[in-house]
Structures are given as structure tokens and as C-alpha cells.
Amino acid sequence: MTEVAPACIMAESEGTGATLEWMRPDQVMRLYRMKVKKRYLQARITRSEASDSQLQPTGDPDQFHFSVPQRSQKRKNPFAIGETCKKQKDELPTGLEISNDNTLFELFHLEVQREKQTAESLSSDGSLTFANVLSKLESSVHTADVGAPKGEKCIPIDWTLKTKMKFLSLRPFPWNGKLKTSEEASGTTGFVRCLNIREQETTLDTSPNARFHQCCLIWQHPSLPWLELFPRTAGKVSASLASNASIANSQYMKEALHGDWRDSFRSLFHLLRARQCPYFYVCANTFTALFRAAGVCGLSEMHALLTPTTRGFRQALKQEEIEYSMPLRKDQKRRSGTDSDSRTVDVGMSNSGTAEHREGAGDYEELEEEEDEAQDAWLESLGVENSEIRKINHSQARVTLEKESEGDNMRQSLVFVKGVEAQALFNFLINCKSATATTGALAGVPPTLLAPTAFHGASLKPLKVRESMVHVKNEQYHSLELKGPLLPHVLPSLCHLMESSQLEQYSASCAQLPATTSFSVAKHGAGEAAVVEGEGAAKMPPNIFGQENLSDCGFSKELLRHFCDPDPARIEVLESLKFSNGLYTWS
């Protein structure tokens, strides 16, 4: 071991050497480390010179043997092309390079082709083998995917109410905001009389302006110009409380408004039953109801959806013996005498079955009461005091109440009724006092009725249309914005109008009423589609009878076919839409 000089050693200074000074231990160690580093550096230089002198050729003139220490060998490049890869590269067809990013996919495609050829050669005799079936399936999938553009020819149905819609296009729209007298008159006449002014032979104006104006009209009741009755949100009502104080304080005005509203609601429901109105909405402050005629969505009976609901509202429906289902609720278990019993009842049962179920539910409630009394008696026999028994019962009732109120005012609280229960729901809503607000800006104002067809007391309301030019990513777009109660038929009508006007490319975005998105999420409600019975059931589409029965509802044949589609997959929530190359894509 090398000995370190003691700390008391004296050294001459770098100057003249006349003065002497003591060195500290850290200085001594620093000098020692420098000497060690110099020795290591000298040893490395010596080894490198020795390795250069040890280079000797082997017997093979094309190769050399290097006698180099293991530490100085160069690390092998794992990405270098070896001899095996070079051979594979020579075997590949022309135009296929190793460095190309698509090499893996092309190799896989070549392997699939080889397997297909092998399978065809093995099954050339026409025998049914696994390889033969697999090759046919793979070939059908590949032929369908290659070169097929993405998109659909028809847009899905969205039952969500929309408040705003905006279209963007590089080319100008075939219409403009300024209507001529004949165009406005023809559009209004075509909408009121439910005429297809482009296909039917009439003397009306068939210009794009007239047809566009026809797509921007709705029927609404009530119509109070100083109040915004859609959407029915207290925070968005553009009216002061003072302007509506006369209605809230005048009992005569409230009764007159409610009486007129009941007549309009009854007229609209009768049109729905007669299949002369495809659907309509009832927009209250706390809920929104959608009534649909028989045949719409392929369902054989008229039906209704209502959202959002609370436990108290569902208990009121139960007291009126209105049976309903909750298709968006996950914990659907058949239990009579509770809230879940009402939502699990089969809405398609007959009247006799309904009566039997109600009698069975009453018997089950009596049985539950007897069981509760037996449990209380058993606890008393154990010596439990009555105060403790009441606490136990109270805690159990609270747990049950919390469980039944989990989805209140949420999407899963949607209720669905069908057939005679839709009639019962109409009777319940027309006499429901909680449907009319008692406080706020809309105090005393009944719910808003929205429909695509005329009914008693309805007002013809146009949508607000604004056209402008916008710049998006250094490109100039033509913008068309619509505001108001946008019913589900407005978007497909406008898309059909743009398609017939040969507008090649455009996009649309929608602002939805969040409380009504569950109408589209619920699809058909109970998930049932109309089944056509008879000899021609196999040849006839399942919605043909619904289309024929709804031929007088005011929709064109193409639009009616769109709304009578029994496929639940054709119902989606649309937020944005794009049309290009004759196909629609959405999200």
C-alpha cells in the first residue's frame, strides 16, 4: 500500500522557494489523486499502442483477425442489416424496401395471399373444410375494406331537442336570408298544408328559398311574445318578474291560460292517436315529455318518454296506476310494492294482464305488511324496546328511500310508457298541477307544446336564421345559423334539401338541450320493434304498415321512411355532422 505523507510535511512555494509553508491533509490527498489519475492515463495510452501493434492478418485474405481487448471492442449495432435480411430483401418483389414503414403490412398481406392460394389448392375439389371457409371469409372482408369510403348515406335520428344549429360550407348555400313575397308565401303554404312543393304538382314557388323557409317553421303553444318559452330554464328566461306579475297574481288569467292549454294538448293528443301527427313535445319547467305515434321507430302502439323524473313523481304515477319502465336504469329487478316494481312491468301486456298484475301487487303489499308485523313481534319477544324497533324501521326506510332516489333528475330516471299507459300518462299530465310553475318568471304559464303539424290554438313560429361569412384556418366559409326549438325532423329535412341542391360538401354542429339527450340514448324505449304478421311478412319490411298508416302525418315519403325505421342502431345523439362524397359522418 502506498504510504501517504503526513500532514506536517513542508514544501517550497512556487515562488522563489525561500519561504516554507505547511500543507493541509486535503491538499496532500488532492496531489495523491492527481498522481493516480496520471498513472491510469499512461497505462491506457500504453495498452492502445500495444493493441495497434498486435493487428495480424489470418489465412483468409478477405478477413482479418483483431486481437483487441474486450473492453475496447465496438458495440454491435442491433439495427444493422445482416446477411439474412439481405437475402430476404433480394427475395422480395420489386418496389418493396426494408426501410419502408409499410413493410410489415405488405409482408402480412403477402402471407395472407399465400395462405389463400394454399387453401384454394387444398379445397379445389369443393369440399367444405375449415381452411376453405376461413379463406372465403378473409377474402370477403378484404374486398369489402379495400377502397371503401367511410360514411353512411343516411343520417341517424336524434330525438334530442336542439336550441341552435350551425352549417359551414366553402360554397355558398343555394338560398339566402332575403325572401321574396312569393317565396315566403309558398313556403308557409307548403308547411301549413303539408305539401312537398318540389315533387307535387302545384302552382307554388319551388325555389330553394321557398323550400328552405318551409323547413324553418314549427307549431307552438302557448305563444307569449314577452316571454321566452323555450328552453324552459329559469336561468335563461329573458323576462323580468315584473312583466309576468300580472299572470302570477291574477287567478282569472291563470285559469284562462290553463284552459286554453288543455284544449290544445287534447287536440294534439287526438291527432297523435289518429296518426295524423308523428310526434310532439311537452316542455315543462321540471321535465320534458315526448309522445310518438304508433309506427314511429317501428313500434306498433303509441308510446311516450318522460325525463327527468324524481321518486315523488314516480310515486304519483304509481298512485294513478300508470305502469312504466325505466330502460336506462341498470338495477331493474322485478319487485312488487316498491318503486322498482313499476319500472319493471311489461308495458306490452294486455288489459286483463294489467289488472291481474295490479291485484297481485296489492296481495304482495299485504303480505309484506304481515311480514313486517311478524318481525316487530319477534323483536318484542326478544325483549327489544319499542323505541329501538322504531329506530330500526326508520333506518331501513331511509336506506330504501335513498336507493330509490339514486338516479333522480339524471339520465337514468327516464320513464317509458306504451299503449293504454300512454293514454293514462296524458290524463295525468293534463291534470297535473306541478307541471305549471308557481314562482319565477314563468309562474302561471303552462308547459310549452311543440309539434310539426297544426293543432288547436297553435301559433306558427319561424326559426331565427342568420347568414354570415367566417374565417377558419385561413379559409373563408359560408355560415348558416338557426336558433329556436329545432325538432328532430329539421336536420334531415335540411340535409335532404342541400343534397337535392347539389351541395357537395358541408358540416353542421348542434347545441342540444342536455335534459333531452336521454330520448336518443333510450333508443326505442322498451327495445321492441314492430313485427308484421301475415303471409307476406317475409317479403314486406316490418315498418311498411307504419308508413302507410302515417301517410297523412305531414311528412314526405322519404322522411317518413326515415322516422319509421325499426332499427335501434339508427338512433344516436348527434353533436356534429359532415357531408362529403355523398356520405355522412357524425359524432
Side-chain angles (χ1 to χ4, degrees):
M1 179 180 295
T2 306
E3 296 182 358
V4 182
C8 59
I9 190 170
M10 300 178 64
E12 293 182 357
S13 65
E14 295 179 359
T16 60
T19 59
L20 299 175
E21 59 181 9
W22 290 94
M23 294 183 66
R24 291 177 297 180
D26 57 342
Q27 294 177 349
V28 175
M29 295 304 299
R30 191 182 301 113
L31 290 174
Y32 174 73
R33 293 191 191 97
M34 290 179 63
K35 290 179 182 180
V36 173
K37 289 181 180 179
K38 287 181 180 179
R39 291 172 187 171
Y40 283 146
L41 181 60
Q42 188 66 27
R44 290 182 61 183
I45 294 173
T46 305
R47 284 197 302 270
S48 63
E49 291 176 355
S51 63
D52 293 340
S53 63
Q54 291 176 359
L55 181 61
Q56 297 178 1
T58 60
D60 191 355
D62 297 334
Q63 296 181 355
F64 291 91
H65 175 73
F66 294 87
S67 175
V68 183
Q70 188 68 21
R71 182 181 297 178
S72 62
Q73 287 184 358
K74 186 178 180 181
R75 184 176 62 88
K76 185 178 179 181
N77 186 5
F79 301 101
I81 301 177
E83 296 297 332
T84 306
C85 295
K86 289 181 180 179
K87 292 180 181 179
Q88 291 180 356
K89 181 178 179 181
D90 296 335
E91 294 176 0
L92 291 176
T94 58
L96 187 61
E97 298 180 358
I98 294 295
S99 60
N100 192 1
D101 294 337
N102 299 326
T103 301
L104 180 61
F105 300 99
E106 294 177 0
L107 287 173
F108 179 76
H109 184 63
L110 291 174
E111 188 67 20
V112 171
Q113 288 182 350
R114 292 173 185 172
E115 292 177 1
K116 289 181 182 178
Q117 294 175 0
T118 305
E120 290 176 358
S121 62
L122 293 175
S123 59
S124 58
D125 56 348
S127 59
L128 184 61
T129 61
F130 178 76
N132 188 16
V133 175
L134 183 61
S135 63
K136 289 182 180 180
L137 290 176
E138 290 179 351
S139 61
S140 62
V141 170
H142 281 287
T143 54
D145 292 342
V146 174
K150 296 181 179 180
E152 299 289 340
K153 293 185 177 180
C154 297
I155 64 173
I157 305 173
D158 187 6
W159 293 102
T160 305
L161 281 174
K162 299 175 178 60
T163 58
K164 186 186 298 184
M165 193 179 297
K166 189 174 185 179
F167 291 87
L168 292 177
S169 174
L170 289 172
R171 293 179 54 188
F173 295 101
W175 53 80
N176 51 61
K178 297 181 180 179
L179 296 174
K180 298 179 181 179
T181 304
S182 60
E183 294 172 345
E184 183 179 356
S186 298
T188 304
T189 303
F191 178 75
V192 173
R193 299 180 183 177
C194 301
L195 300 175
N196 191 349
I197 60 179
R198 184 173 180 268
E199 298 180 359
Q200 297 181 2
E201 295 182 359
T202 59
T203 58
L204 301 177
D205 193 341
T206 60
S207 62
N209 270 5
R211 289 185 288 151
F212 175 71
H213 182 64
Q214 183 178 359
C215 296
C216 298
L217 296 173
I218 59 167
W219 294 100
Q220 175 181 325
H221 180 88
S223 177
L224 304 177
W226 65 92
L227 287 176
E228 185 179 351
L229 300 181
F230 180 86
R232 296 291 291 252
T233 307
K236 296 183 178 180
V237 176
S238 60
S240 61
L241 295 177
S243 62
N244 199 32
S246 58
I247 298 179
N249 297 330
S250 175
Q251 186 66 24
Y252 174 76
M253 294 181 66
K254 289 193 293 185
E255 291 179 357
L257 278 175
H258 191 69
D260 196 16
W261 177 82
R262 292 178 63 181
D263 294 339
S264 299
F265 191 17
R266 187 179 293 107
S267 170
L268 194 51
F269 186 76
H270 289 170
L271 287 171
L272 189 82
R273 290 184 59 186
R275 301 182 182 182
Q276 295 180 7
C277 176
Y279 65 87
F280 68 88
Y281 287 84
V282 182
C283 302
N285 287 13
T286 57
F287 64 86
T288 304
L290 168 62
F291 285 81
R292 298 191 297 214
V296 177
C297 293
L299 298 179
S300 59
E301 296 179 279
M302 64 176 179
H303 49 282
L305 300 96
L306 192 144
T307 184
T309 62
T310 60
R311 178 183 177 276
F313 188 88
R314 296 191 293 271
Q315 287 293 332
L317 294 179
K318 182 182 176 183
Q319 291 176 1
E320 296 293 330
E321 296 182 345
I322 300 175
E323 298 173 357
Y324 60 88
S325 63
M326 300 181 71
L328 300 182
R329 194 158 184 171
K330 297 180 181 179
D331 55 341
Q332 292 202 23
K333 297 180 180 179
R334 183 178 293 273
R335 293 180 298 175
S336 299
T338 61
D339 181 37
S340 60
D341 168 64
S342 298
R343 66 173 179 266
T344 55
V345 176
D346 185 7
V347 294
M349 64 175 60
S350 60
N351 293 335
S352 59
T354 303
E356 292 175 359
H357 177 80
R358 289 170 181 167
E359 293 176 0
D363 296 340
Y364 195 84
E365 289 177 358
E366 294 178 359
L367 182 61
E368 280 189 344
E369 292 178 358
E370 294 178 358
E371 290 179 356
D372 293 339
E373 293 177 357
Q375 290 176 1
D376 294 344
W378 178 71
L379 290 174
E380 289 179 358
S381 64
L382 295 178
V384 182
E385 297 181 357
N386 292 332
S387 59
E388 296 295 331
I389 295 176
R390 286 194 296 269
K391 290 180 180 179
I392 294 173
N393 294 336
H394 178 70
S395 62
Q396 290 180 351
R398 184 173 58 184
V399 170
T400 304
L401 178 63
E402 291 177 355
K403 187 175 181 180
E404 293 177 355
S405 304
E406 284 179 355
D408 286 0
N409 294 319
M410 298 177 66
R411 175 180 292 182
Q412 56 265 31
S413 65
L414 175 137
V415 299
F416 174 81
V417 296
K418 183 179 179 181
V420 294
E421 305 302 329
Q423 174 74 49
L425 180 63
F426 162 74
N427 296 332
F428 173 78
L429 292 179
I430 203 171
N431 298 312
C432 182
K433 295 182 179 180
S434 61
T436 303
T438 56
T439 59
L442 298 177
V445 181
T448 306
L449 303 176
L450 301 173
T453 55
F455 57 95
H456 288 176
S459 300
L460 184 62
K461 305 286 290 185
L463 301 176
K464 297 180 181 179
V465 181
R466 188 182 68 175
E467 292 188 2
S468 60
M469 301 293 295
V470 296
H471 295 273
V472 179
K473 296 182 181 180
N474 298 326
E475 291 187 0
Q476 192 173 12
Y477 288 85
H478 295 267
S479 173
L480 175 67
E481 185 176 339
L482 290 81
K483 292 182 64 177
L486 297 168
L487 300 182
H489 73 278
V490 175
L491 182 59
S493 299
L494 291 176
C495 290
H496 178 67
L497 177 58
M498 293 183 184
E499 188 177 353
S500 62
S501 302
Q502 298 181 355
L503 193 62
E504 298 177 355
Q505 187 176 0
Y506 63 88
S507 61
S509 57
C510 307
Q512 303 168 346
L513 195 62
T516 60
T517 55
S518 54
F519 290 149
S520 296
V521 177
K523 303 296 183 180
H524 288 167
E528 299 178 359
V531 179
V532 179
E533 298 178 356
E535 297 179 357
K539 301 180 181 180
M540 200 174 299
N543 58 343
I544 189 65
F545 290 124
Q547 293 182 26
E548 290 298 327
N549 294 331
L550 289 169
S551 59
D552 295 331
C553 72
F555 283 173
S556 61
K557 291 183 179 180
E558 183 175 356
L559 192 62
L560 189 59
R561 189 184 310 112
H562 185 66
F563 278 88
C564 291
D565 193 344
D567 187 8
R570 300 298 303 168
I571 302 177
E572 292 187 18
V573 180
L574 291 178
E575 294 182 357
S576 60
L577 178 72
K578 185 177 181 180
F579 176 78
S580 180
N581 298 326
L583 298 176
Y584 294 95
T585 56
W586 57 83
S587 62

